[in-house]
Amino acid sequence: MVNDKSAPVATNGKTATIDKVRRSSVSQVKAKVLRPFNTAEVKILLLENVNDTAIKAFKKQGYQVETYAKALVGDELIEKIRDVHVIGIRSKTKLTKNVLDAAQNLQAIGCFCIGTNQVDLQAAAKKGIAVFNSPFSNSRSVAELVIGEIIALARQLGDRNTEMHQGVWSKVSKNCFEIRGKTLGIVGYGHIGSQLSVLAEAMGMTVYFYDVLQIMPLGTAKPVDSLETLLSMSDFVSLHVPELEETKNMIGEREIMGYMKKGSYLLNNARGTVVHLPALAKALKSGHLAGAAIDVYPKEPAANGPHFTDYPELLKSPNLILTPHIGGSTEEAQSMIGIEVSSALIKYINEGGSLGAVNFPEIDLRAIREEDDVVRVLYIHQNIPGVLREINSLFADHNVEKQYSDSKGDIAYVMADIAKVSEEDLIKLYNAITATRANIRTRVLY
């Protein structure tokens, strides 16, 4: 901020005024708007009804945006992805190696959700395609859903609601409880688990958690040293772990019948493969579990409609709340996800910064100033010996203002800002870089 003031001064008996200027101690540098070299108009394909906040952000950049309300599969997906630079999906579209091989221009994938298991991350990385997601934006929505489920299970609201819709009046208090004073066990104390912890404590619950990492508790929550310990002491068990080989069927007959308290409740809003559903149905039918809430399933329908037919054993289970993977499906969460993922994608397309990529080296450089005569080279390459020596030899005749490189697995990424490159030299440099033995994808912004 600049504040101009005039102050009187004496000069040879006369009074004059001079301007006193107070300037901000932090100078505001205007970033240069970069444009891609040797690339046509950026095309964005958004599937599965991606939130309008993302659509507006992309259109503001001047990108060409095509949207679909549903997931695409098979030949239709392959045809649509063939010439786009960015694709945005949620959880139902499957981007397999076969699909990615057809994507000739694809630079980035935006998963407008938490999970990325619907994308072949390794195949994407090998093609130089960065994958971004939104791991935190829907944490509050999921945590609030769990609180609602805990109360609904404790009061058997699901069964009472079904009975009322069938014309049955069944006013009972047996086996209906307050949640105040009950113990909640949280498996996975990340962003969702920790938020749930705070909300549950505010409602008078005692909270314990189990996590494979050492995490500082919030409030008065306490960690325990094993899953079995947590299960044996909890009235309610809520799962918040990622889909990994280690978490597949993490909760099965052994855990439910062998460790969970009789009359306790199980809630899964994490991933469908975490709970062995036949074991859950058996425990509900026998009365060992007093209730459960399931929002995710090993196999989920690709579209809305009467397609939930793979788990008939669940449909007749008592006090079981079934929801169609809606943990993060709130207006607030979807809006935040749209903003978070589109911002990361725009940063990557416009500037090359890859912070937040899940399959890719995460690097960034400070913005190029508007007055700088600088081009930015973005070089994605195989992570093999001698590549940096080779690429730096190509830079040797130019002034490299700043450079950053990093690797992740078999993939490495170099960002370099090079000053005063003529158009003729730019073409030569681009051709030389793309001809290197390790080149996967090269972009130049100027």
Side-chain angles (χ1 to χ4, degrees):
M1 182 177 71
V2 178
N3 185 13
D4 293 337
K5 291 183 179 180
S6 296
V9 294
T11 56
N12 298 324
K14 297 181 180 180
T15 301
T17 61
I18 62 172
D19 288 333
K20 295 176 66 179
V21 180
R22 187 173 66 202
R23 300 187 182 276
S24 168
S25 60
V26 180
S27 59
Q28 300 296 318
V29 177
K30 190 170 184 180
K32 187 176 185 178
V33 178
L34 302 176
R35 61 185 187 275
F37 169 77
N38 200 30
T39 301
E41 182 180 12
V42 175
K43 295 182 180 179
I44 312 286
L45 176 64
L46 300 178
L47 307 179
E48 301 182 63
N49 205 25
V50 166
N51 193 266
D52 193 51
T53 54
I55 298 172
K56 289 179 179 178
F58 290 137
K59 288 185 175 179
K60 186 177 180 180
Q61 297 296 317
Y63 301 162
Q64 180 180 322
V65 182
E66 185 176 7
T67 63
Y68 286 83
K70 64 176 184 177
L72 299 182
V73 297
D75 292 341
E76 187 178 13
L77 176 59
I78 289 174
E79 182 60 33
K80 286 294 182 182
I81 203 175
R82 197 177 301 280
D83 65 343
V84 300
H85 299 94
V86 175
I87 184 170
I89 62 173
R90 293 175 69 186
S91 58
K92 292 185 174 67
T93 301
K94 308 301 181 186
L95 298 181
T96 62
K97 182 180 183 301
N98 182 52
V99 172
L100 294 175
D101 284 343
Q104 300 171 359
N105 299 324
L106 194 63
Q107 297 176 13
I109 297 168
C111 295
F112 288 79
C113 51
I114 293 179
T116 56
N117 54 302
Q118 69 276 41
V119 180
D120 188 328
L121 297 178
Q122 187 175 9
K126 287 182 177 180
K127 290 179 67 65
I129 302 169
V131 180
F132 299 89
N133 69 335
S134 179
F136 313 130
S137 292
N138 68 358
S139 300
R140 177 70 182 203
S141 295
V142 178
E144 287 187 5
L145 176 64
V146 176
I147 290 293
E149 290 172 342
I150 290 172
I151 296 172
L153 290 172
R155 298 295 298 272
Q156 300 181 9
L157 295 184
D159 287 358
R160 298 295 85 78
N161 177 64
T162 300
E163 291 163 356
M164 289 293 285
H165 279 273
Q166 295 170 347
V168 177
W169 183 274
S170 181
K171 182 179 179 180
V172 296
S173 59
K174 185 178 180 180
N175 295 324
C176 294
F177 306 98
E178 295 180 354
I179 67 169
R180 178 180 54 175
K182 303 301 186 293
T183 298
L184 170 63
I186 300 173
V187 183
Y189 200 71
H191 285 79
I192 296 173
S194 56
Q195 285 210 32
L196 172 61
S197 168
V198 172
L199 295 177
E201 280 195 3
M203 304 208 56
M205 302 188 80
T206 300
V207 178
Y208 293 89
F209 67 89
Y210 169 71
D211 200 294
V212 295
L213 301 176
Q214 294 292 323
I215 299 176
M216 186 176 72
L218 300 181
T220 60
K222 296 178 177 63
V224 299
D225 58 5
S226 72
L227 174 63
E228 291 77 12
T229 300
L230 186 79
L231 297 178
S232 64
M233 66 193 305
S234 301
D235 299 307
F236 296 84
V237 175
S238 189
L239 308 174
H240 302 284
V241 296
E243 182 175 344
L244 303 170
E245 190 61 35
E246 296 82 359
T247 62
K248 186 175 182 179
N249 292 329
M250 172 187 253
I251 305 297
E253 186 169 358
R254 170 186 173 272
E255 290 73 24
I256 295 173
M257 302 303 294
Y259 291 96
M260 290 188 70
K261 294 162 61 173
K262 181 175 175 59
S264 60
Y265 304 83
L266 178 65
L267 302 93
N268 184 21
N269 292 272
R271 287 290 177 259
T273 56
V274 174
V275 175
H276 187 243
L277 294 181
L280 172 63
K282 181 179 177 181
L284 289 169
K285 185 176 180 181
S286 70
H288 183 77
L289 290 183
I294 304 295
D295 186 50
V296 289
Y297 310 87
K299 183 179 179 182
E300 297 181 358
N304 291 343
H307 312 303
F308 187 66
T309 57
D310 292 298
Y311 309 101
E313 71 274 16
L314 296 179
L315 303 182
K316 297 181 180 179
S317 298
N319 202 21
L320 173 61
I321 299 173
L322 300 175
T323 49
H325 203 153
I326 57 171
S329 295
T330 63
E331 294 286 352
E332 294 87 351
Q334 292 306 309
S335 176
M336 285 300 298
I337 288 171
I339 293 170
E340 183 179 359
V341 179
S342 65
S343 297
L345 290 168
I346 291 168
K347 175 83 171 176
Y348 182 68
I349 294 299
N350 289 3
E351 302 176 26
S354 60
L355 299 182
V358 298
N359 68 328
F360 209 74
E362 295 184 69
I363 64 175
D364 196 13
L365 288 178
R366 68 179 182 272
I368 297 173
R369 295 176 301 182
E370 194 173 46
E371 64 270 20
D372 291 344
D373 183 11
V374 170
V375 299
R376 174 163 291 178
V377 176
L378 310 171
Y379 178 53
I380 305 166
H381 62 89
Q382 300 170 45
N383 186 21
I384 57 178
V387 175
L388 286 181
R389 181 175 64 249
E390 189 175 352
I391 193 72
N392 284 326
S393 70
L394 298 177
F395 293 158
D397 294 332
H398 306 281
N399 181 27
V400 179
E401 292 209 338
K402 48 188 180 290
Q403 182 176 342
Y404 191 4
S405 67
D406 197 5
S407 63
K408 185 172 185 177
D410 296 331
I411 307 301
Y413 186 29
V414 175
M415 297 179 69
D417 287 353
I418 304 174
K420 295 181 170 55
V421 182
S422 68
E423 186 173 346
E424 181 181 352
D425 286 342
L426 179 59
I427 295 172
K428 290 179 180 179
L429 183 63
Y430 176 80
N431 290 336
I433 295 173
T434 56
T436 55
R437 60 194 173 94
N439 179 68
I440 295 175
R441 183 189 300 272
T442 297
R443 292 195 294 143
V444 176
L445 306 176
Y446 71 110

